[in-house]
PDB file of all heavy atoms in Angstrom:
ATOM      1  N   SER A1560      -0.520  11.314   3.254  1.00 41.00           N
ATOM      2  CA  SER A1560      -1.166  12.410   2.539  1.00 41.00           C
ATOM      3  C   SER A1560      -1.096  13.718   3.321  1.00 41.00           C
ATOM      4  O   SER A1560      -1.016  14.787   2.742  1.00 41.00           O
ATOM      5  CB  SER A1560      -2.612  12.053   2.220  1.00 41.00           C
ATOM      6  OG  SER A1560      -3.285  11.738   3.424  1.00 41.00           O
ATOM      7  N   LYS A1561      -1.141  13.607   4.641  1.00 49.00           N
ATOM      8  CA  LYS A1561      -1.121  14.848   5.419  1.00 49.00           C
ATOM      9  C   LYS A1561       0.193  15.000   6.177  1.00 49.00           C
ATOM     10  O   LYS A1561       1.037  15.798   5.844  1.00 49.00           O
ATOM     11  CB  LYS A1561      -2.310  14.893   6.384  1.00 49.00           C
ATOM     12  CG  LYS A1561      -3.647  14.989   5.669  1.00 49.00           C
ATOM     13  CD  LYS A1561      -4.767  15.318   6.650  1.00 49.00           C
ATOM     14  CE  LYS A1561      -6.114  15.403   5.954  1.00 49.00           C
ATOM     15  NZ  LYS A1561      -6.685  14.071   5.672  1.00 49.00           N
ATOM     16  N   VAL A1562       0.352  14.167   7.198  1.00 56.00           N
ATOM     17  CA  VAL A1562       1.587  14.224   7.977  1.00 56.00           C
ATOM     18  C   VAL A1562       2.406  13.000   7.594  1.00 56.00           C
ATOM     19  O   VAL A1562       1.851  11.932   7.414  1.00 56.00           O
ATOM     20  CB  VAL A1562       1.288  14.129   9.488  1.00 56.00           C
ATOM     21  CG1 VAL A1562       2.493  14.602  10.285  1.00 56.00           C
ATOM     22  CG2 VAL A1562       0.039  14.887   9.854  1.00 56.00           C
ATOM     23  N   SER A1563       3.686  13.137   7.488  1.00 66.00           N
ATOM     24  CA  SER A1563       4.477  11.977   7.130  1.00 66.00           C
ATOM     25  C   SER A1563       5.292  11.472   8.294  1.00 66.00           C
ATOM     26  O   SER A1563       5.942  12.241   8.987  1.00 66.00           O
ATOM     27  CB  SER A1563       5.432  12.308   5.998  1.00 66.00           C
ATOM     28  OG  SER A1563       6.255  11.182   5.790  1.00 66.00           O
ATOM     29  N   PRO A1564       5.271  10.148   8.528  1.00 70.00           N
ATOM     30  CA  PRO A1564       6.142   9.569   9.558  1.00 70.00           C
ATOM     31  C   PRO A1564       7.597   9.758   9.175  1.00 70.00           C
ATOM     32  O   PRO A1564       8.484   9.648  10.012  1.00 70.00           O
ATOM     33  CB  PRO A1564       5.761   8.092   9.562  1.00 70.00           C
ATOM     34  CG  PRO A1564       5.134   7.834   8.235  1.00 70.00           C
ATOM     35  CD  PRO A1564       4.480   9.120   7.822  1.00 70.00           C
ATOM     36  N   LEU A1565       7.828  10.061   7.902  1.00 74.00           N
ATOM     37  CA  LEU A1565       9.215  10.244   7.464  1.00 74.00           C
ATOM     38  C   LEU A1565       9.818  11.547   7.978  1.00 74.00           C
ATOM     39  O   LEU A1565      10.956  11.866   7.695  1.00 74.00           O
ATOM     40  CB  LEU A1565       9.305  10.159   5.938  1.00 74.00           C
ATOM     41  CG  LEU A1565       9.239   8.715   5.427  1.00 74.00           C
ATOM     42  CD1 LEU A1565       8.989   8.678   3.944  1.00 74.00           C
ATOM     43  CD2 LEU A1565      10.529   7.984   5.754  1.00 74.00           C
ATOM     44  N   LEU A1566       9.022  12.291   8.755  1.00 73.00           N
ATOM     45  CA  LEU A1566       9.609  13.453   9.420  1.00 73.00           C
ATOM     46  C   LEU A1566      10.340  12.979  10.670  1.00 73.00           C
ATOM     47  O   LEU A1566      11.224  13.653  11.172  1.00 73.00           O
ATOM     48  CB  LEU A1566       8.523  14.464   9.790  1.00 73.00           C
ATOM     49  CG  LEU A1566       7.742  15.024   8.584  1.00 73.00           C
ATOM     50  CD1 LEU A1566       6.598  15.908   9.044  1.00 73.00           C
ATOM     51  CD2 LEU A1566       8.673  15.784   7.643  1.00 73.00           C
ATOM     52  N   ILE A1567       9.957  11.802  11.190  1.00 82.00           N
ATOM     53  CA  ILE A1567      10.594  11.326  12.417  1.00 82.00           C
ATOM     54  C   ILE A1567      11.404  10.045  12.220  1.00 82.00           C
ATOM     55  O   ILE A1567      12.197   9.677  13.055  1.00 82.00           O
ATOM     56  CB  ILE A1567       9.565  11.125  13.564  1.00 82.00           C
ATOM     57  CG1 ILE A1567       8.285  10.467  13.031  1.00 82.00           C
ATOM     58  CG2 ILE A1567       9.247  12.440  14.247  1.00 82.00           C
ATOM     59  CD1 ILE A1567       7.272  10.118  14.094  1.00 82.00           C
ATOM     60  N   VAL A1568      11.200   9.353  11.107  1.00 92.00           N
ATOM     61  CA  VAL A1568      12.016   8.166  10.825  1.00 92.00           C
ATOM     62  C   VAL A1568      12.646   8.322   9.447  1.00 92.00           C
ATOM     63  O   VAL A1568      12.298   9.224   8.684  1.00 92.00           O
ATOM     64  CB  VAL A1568      11.181   6.861  10.891  1.00 92.00           C
ATOM     65  CG1 VAL A1568      10.658   6.634  12.292  1.00 92.00           C
ATOM     66  CG2 VAL A1568      10.061   6.872   9.868  1.00 92.00           C
ATOM     67  N   ASP A1569      13.606   7.426   9.118  1.00 95.00           N
ATOM     68  CA  ASP A1569      14.321   7.539   7.851  1.00 95.00           C
ATOM     69  C   ASP A1569      13.697   6.724   6.732  1.00 95.00           C
ATOM     70  O   ASP A1569      13.871   7.039   5.564  1.00 95.00           O
ATOM     71  CB  ASP A1569      15.781   7.089   8.034  1.00 95.00           C
ATOM     72  CG  ASP A1569      16.510   7.959   9.036  1.00 95.00           C
ATOM     73  OD1 ASP A1569      16.531   9.184   8.816  1.00 95.00           O
ATOM     74  OD2 ASP A1569      17.018   7.431  10.031  1.00 95.00           O
ATOM     75  N   LEU A1570      13.052   5.641   7.111  1.00 96.00           N
ATOM     76  CA  LEU A1570      12.383   4.860   6.077  1.00 96.00           C
ATOM     77  C   LEU A1570      11.169   4.128   6.634  1.00 96.00           C
ATOM     78  O   LEU A1570      11.082   3.843   7.813  1.00 96.00           O
ATOM     79  CB  LEU A1570      13.344   3.899   5.373  1.00 96.00           C
ATOM     80  CG  LEU A1570      14.206   2.934   6.147  1.00 96.00           C
ATOM     81  CD1 LEU A1570      13.600   1.541   6.116  1.00 96.00           C
ATOM     82  CD2 LEU A1570      15.588   2.883   5.495  1.00 96.00           C
ATOM     83  N   VAL A1571      10.233   3.884   5.719  1.00 95.00           N
ATOM     84  CA  VAL A1571       9.025   3.155   6.079  1.00 95.00           C
ATOM     85  C   VAL A1571       8.801   2.079   5.018  1.00 95.00           C
ATOM     86  O   VAL A1571       8.921   2.348   3.829  1.00 95.00           O
ATOM     87  CB  VAL A1571       7.785   4.083   6.151  1.00 95.00           C
ATOM     88  CG1 VAL A1571       6.550   3.286   6.560  1.00 95.00           C
ATOM     89  CG2 VAL A1571       8.007   5.234   7.117  1.00 95.00           C
ATOM     90  N   VAL A1572       8.510   0.868   5.484  1.00 96.00           N
ATOM     91  CA  VAL A1572       8.261  -0.251   4.573  1.00 96.00           C
ATOM     92  C   VAL A1572       6.746  -0.362   4.344  1.00 96.00           C
ATOM     93  O   VAL A1572       5.978  -0.316   5.297  1.00 96.00           O
ATOM     94  CB  VAL A1572       8.803  -1.566   5.180  1.00 96.00           C
ATOM     95  CG1 VAL A1572       8.515  -2.753   4.259  1.00 96.00           C
ATOM     96  CG2 VAL A1572      10.305  -1.434   5.450  1.00 96.00           C
ATOM     97  N   HIS A1573       6.359  -0.469   3.080  1.00 95.00           N
ATOM     98  CA  HIS A1573       4.940  -0.604   2.744  1.00 95.00           C
ATOM     99  C   HIS A1573       4.749  -1.771   1.785  1.00 95.00           C
ATOM    100  O   HIS A1573       5.659  -2.163   1.061  1.00 95.00           O
ATOM    101  CB  HIS A1573       4.435   0.630   1.968  1.00 95.00           C
ATOM    102  CG  HIS A1573       4.587   1.931   2.640  1.00 95.00           C
ATOM    103  ND1 HIS A1573       3.616   2.468   3.455  1.00 95.00           N
ATOM    104  CD2 HIS A1573       5.584   2.856   2.596  1.00 95.00           C
ATOM    105  CE1 HIS A1573       4.011   3.663   3.887  1.00 95.00           C
ATOM    106  NE2 HIS A1573       5.202   3.920   3.385  1.00 95.00           N
ATOM    107  N   SER A1574       3.512  -2.240   1.695  1.00 96.00           N
ATOM    108  CA  SER A1574       3.119  -3.048   0.547  1.00 96.00           C
ATOM    109  C   SER A1574       2.976  -2.048  -0.591  1.00 96.00           C
ATOM    110  O   SER A1574       2.265  -1.050  -0.460  1.00 96.00           O
ATOM    111  CB  SER A1574       1.769  -3.710   0.781  1.00 96.00           C
ATOM    112  OG  SER A1574       1.868  -4.683   1.777  1.00 96.00           O
ATOM    113  N   LEU A1575       3.651  -2.311  -1.699  1.00 97.00           N
ATOM    114  CA  LEU A1575       3.618  -1.348  -2.796  1.00 97.00           C
ATOM    115  C   LEU A1575       2.192  -1.038  -3.223  1.00 97.00           C
ATOM    116  O   LEU A1575       1.873   0.088  -3.581  1.00 97.00           O
ATOM    117  CB  LEU A1575       4.431  -1.874  -3.989  1.00 97.00           C
ATOM    118  CG  LEU A1575       4.473  -0.950  -5.215  1.00 97.00           C
ATOM    119  CD1 LEU A1575       5.130   0.381  -4.890  1.00 97.00           C
ATOM    120  CD2 LEU A1575       5.180  -1.624  -6.383  1.00 97.00           C
ATOM    121  N   LYS A1576       1.321  -2.035  -3.159  1.00 96.00           N
ATOM    122  CA  LYS A1576      -0.038  -1.790  -3.660  1.00 96.00           C
ATOM    123  C   LYS A1576      -0.815  -0.785  -2.825  1.00 96.00           C
ATOM    124  O   LYS A1576      -1.820  -0.270  -3.282  1.00 96.00           O
ATOM    125  CB  LYS A1576      -0.802  -3.098  -3.859  1.00 96.00           C
ATOM    126  CG  LYS A1576      -1.514  -3.667  -2.672  1.00 96.00           C
ATOM    127  CD  LYS A1576      -2.578  -4.673  -3.158  1.00 96.00           C
ATOM    128  CE  LYS A1576      -3.094  -5.500  -1.996  1.00 96.00           C
ATOM    129  NZ  LYS A1576      -4.224  -6.351  -2.391  1.00 96.00           N
ATOM    130  N   ASP A1577      -0.349  -0.503  -1.611  1.00 94.00           N
ATOM    131  CA  ASP A1577      -1.022   0.491  -0.781  1.00 94.00           C
ATOM    132  C   ASP A1577      -0.497   1.903  -0.995  1.00 94.00           C
ATOM    133  O   ASP A1577      -1.014   2.852  -0.412  1.00 94.00           O
ATOM    134  CB  ASP A1577      -0.895   0.117   0.697  1.00 94.00           C
ATOM    135  CG  ASP A1577      -1.648  -1.166   1.030  1.00 94.00           C
ATOM    136  OD1 ASP A1577      -2.692  -1.410   0.392  1.00 94.00           O
ATOM    137  OD2 ASP A1577      -1.186  -1.912   1.901  1.00 94.00           O
TER     138      ASP A1577
END
Side-chain angles (χ1 to χ4, degrees):
S1560 57
K1561 293 192 181 78
V1562 197
S1563 174
L1565 283 166
L1566 299 174
I1567 42 175
V1568 296
D1569 299 304
L1570 53 101
V1571 181
V1572 178
H1573 302 270
S1574 292
L1575 180 62
K1576 86 161 167 173
D1577 294 327

